[in-house]
Amino acid sequence: MSLVRVTNFAISLDGYGAGEPQSLEAPFGHAGMKLHEWRFATWQPGAPNGLDALFGRQYDVGFGAEIMGANKFGPPGWQDDPDWRGWWGEDPPFHTPTYVLTHRPRAAMEMEGGTTFHFLDASPTDALVVAKEAAGDLDVRIGGGASTVNAYVAADLVDHLHLAVVPIVLGRGTSLWQGLEALEDTFHIEAVTSPSGVTHLSLTRRSPSA
Amino acid sequence: MSLVRVTNFAISLDGYGAGEPQSLEAPFGHAGMKLHEWRFATWQPGAPNGLDALFGRQYDVGFGAEIMGANKFGPPGWQDDPDWRGWWGEDPPFHTPTYVLTHRPRAAMEMEGGTTFHFLDASPTDALVVAKEAAGDLDVRIGGGASTVNAYVAADLVDHLHLAVVPIVLGRGTSLWQGLEALEDTFHIEAVTSPSGVTHLSLTRRSPSA
């Protein structure tokens, strides 16, 4: 069965998925790269093939589509730049149809490596119908940012989340947990800390989503 | 050297140290006992003598005084009840001079087992001077609640914190992390998850406090 999953989504101890303000120069705001260093470390030559790498590899396996929020695709105002093609160059790391939620959609962009960006002015629920159709038997990844993940969880549309809690305190930003009181009733929550200091949370839905 | 320490302070994944609203019937608000079950479990006959128990025992060792906020001592309005003597009966688990921060101080209460409650209308800094004097060579415990721990950390008065992150989402309450941006610059932060699912954070000050 096709699932809706969040994977390798990094948050701070205080639950922020990015800092602020975000800009072309500071895509993660005042958080800088701190939320993502643990994962980049796994990509270095000779990096340990340990727990962080194991969780990291979940990112690439079994997905047939991604949905992301407008704030992940570009800095504030990217909709005004007709030449903006995302942060990732001509071969983005998605390798599937990738749906960008925006109130100002534009024509689809076919990139190298299997990624095609589609722009949807749609609710989370309606966008998921489109993405599931594209993914077929594979899973749909909710790619972020924090407000998009939060919206999908709040709408009860997610089957599994892998969150990486990085031992930093951001103090401000977009909260992943906002409004998700008693999430433990819907999800089994498992925690394991890696030698890097990152605590990996695996949230598994107790019963299938609708 | 006498240190200022927080130990066995439980928070939710979203950083709340208690739920709301707090009352005589619901001392932890809507959180109920969920933040504390892991620790109570270690007190049961035959409980595993494992990581949770090991962290739990830090509570009793090396302290010569405690400071707590008014909200820990009693439900809202306890100051209007001249007979209120705290939640813990006649033999409270502190066994040291214990300083309750309140704008409406009352006469000290000598309890059994070495606990004496003193009531101070004082700033965190001034209360700490009093508590350190009482503790002598031993440490001072900042006992909570979340706003009191937060105030002491924000005032840069704490040397070590042990926090127990319980895998629940409270959604509302008093945030431990509020305003503590970049705490990782001041503290080394170590995380380890216990088989119970609780992640223990040990925050150790990188240089001695003033």
Side-chain angles (χ1 to χ4, degrees):
Chain A
M1 196 185 69
S2 173
L3 298 176
V4 180
R5 293 161 56 203
V6 174
T7 178
N8 284 277
F9 193 79
I11 58 174
S12 59
L13 285 172
D14 47 346
Y16 296 112
E20 58 184 14
Q22 296 174 268
S23 67
L24 185 61
E25 295 71 30
F28 302 106
H30 77 293
M33 301 308 289
K34 287 181 184 176
L35 289 172
H36 306 288
E37 281 163 359
W38 68 273
R39 187 139 178 258
F40 295 157
T42 67
W43 297 338
Q44 300 308 309
N49 187 13
L51 194 63
D52 287 345
L54 191 63
F55 274 103
R57 282 197 298 272
Q58 290 191 107
Y59 189 85
D60 298 310
V61 181
F63 291 101
E66 161 151 339
I67 297 172
M68 69 171 70
N71 285 343
K72 178 172 171 179
F73 187 70
W78 63 262
Q79 291 92 338
D80 295 321
D81 178 359
D83 297 329
W84 182 260
R85 292 171 68 77
W87 295 105
W88 306 277
E90 284 304 303
D91 184 7
F94 309 112
H95 312 301
T96 65
T98 298
Y99 297 89
V100 180
L101 302 178
T102 172
H103 296 304
R104 294 172 59 190
R106 59 175 64 184
M109 295 177 192
E110 189 174 341
M111 314 296 283
E112 295 170 19
T115 300
T116 301
F117 291 117
H118 301 273
F119 300 85
L120 292 179
D121 183 6
S123 69
T125 305
D126 291 347
L128 187 55
V129 171
V130 175
K132 276 190 164 175
E133 174 75 22
D137 292 337
L138 296 174
D139 295 345
V140 175
R141 183 172 49 230
I142 308 301
S147 60
T148 300
V149 173
N150 179 276
Y152 273 91
V153 176
D156 206 16
L157 295 170
V158 177
D159 297 292
H160 183 265
L161 297 95
H162 160 231
L163 306 173
V165 183
V166 178
I168 61 173
V169 178
L170 286 177
R172 56 204 159 97
T174 306
S175 169
L176 181 81
W177 301 117
Q178 184 75 36
L180 300 183
E181 179 180 333
L183 199 61
E184 69 276 11
D185 292 346
T186 311
F187 290 89
H188 177 271
I189 303 179
E190 183 178 311
V192 61
T193 302
S194 123
S196 70
V198 168
T199 300
H200 296 276
L201 299 177
S202 297
L203 286 73
T204 308
R205 208 186 163 76
R206 296 181 188 278
S207 59
S209 61
Chain B
M1 195 185 69
S2 172
L3 298 175
V4 180
R5 294 161 54 203
V6 173
T7 177
N8 284 276
F9 193 79
I11 58 175
S12 60
L13 285 172
D14 48 345
Y16 296 112
E20 58 182 17
Q22 295 174 270
S23 67
L24 184 61
E25 295 73 29
F28 301 107
H30 78 292
M33 301 307 291
K34 287 181 185 175
L35 288 172
H36 305 289
E37 280 162 359
W38 68 273
R39 187 139 179 258
F40 296 156
T42 67
W43 297 338
Q44 300 308 310
N49 187 13
L51 193 64
D52 288 345
L54 191 63
F55 274 103
R57 282 197 296 273
Q58 290 192 108
Y59 189 84
D60 299 309
V61 180
F63 290 102
E66 162 151 339
I67 296 172
M68 70 171 68
N71 286 343
K72 178 173 171 179
F73 187 69
W78 63 263
Q79 292 94 337
D80 295 320
D81 178 359
D83 296 328
W84 182 259
R85 292 171 67 78
W87 295 105
W88 306 277
E90 284 305 302
D91 184 5
F94 309 112
H95 312 300
T96 65
T98 299
Y99 297 90
V100 181
L101 302 178
T102 172
H103 295 305
R104 294 172 58 190
R106 59 176 62 183
M109 295 177 191
E110 190 173 342
M111 313 296 283
E112 294 169 19
T115 300
T116 300
F117 291 117
H118 301 271
F119 300 86
L120 292 179
D121 183 6
S123 70
T125 304
D126 291 347
L128 187 55
V129 171
V130 175
K132 276 191 164 175
E133 175 74 24
D137 292 337
L138 295 175
D139 295 346
V140 175
R141 183 173 49 231
I142 308 300
S147 60
T148 300
V149 173
N150 180 277
Y152 272 92
V153 176
D156 206 15
L157 295 170
V158 177
D159 297 292
H160 183 264
L161 298 96
H162 160 231
L163 306 173
V165 183
V166 178
I168 61 173
V169 178
L170 287 178
R172 55 202 160 97
T174 306
S175 168
L176 181 81
W177 302 118
Q178 183 76 37
L180 301 183
E181 179 180 332
L183 198 61
E184 68 277 11
D185 292 345
T186 311
F187 290 89
H188 177 271
I189 304 180
E190 183 179 310
V192 60
T193 302
S194 123
S196 69
V198 169
T199 299
H200 296 276
L201 299 178
S202 297
L203 286 74
T204 307
R205 207 185 164 79
R206 296 181 187 277
S207 59
S209 61

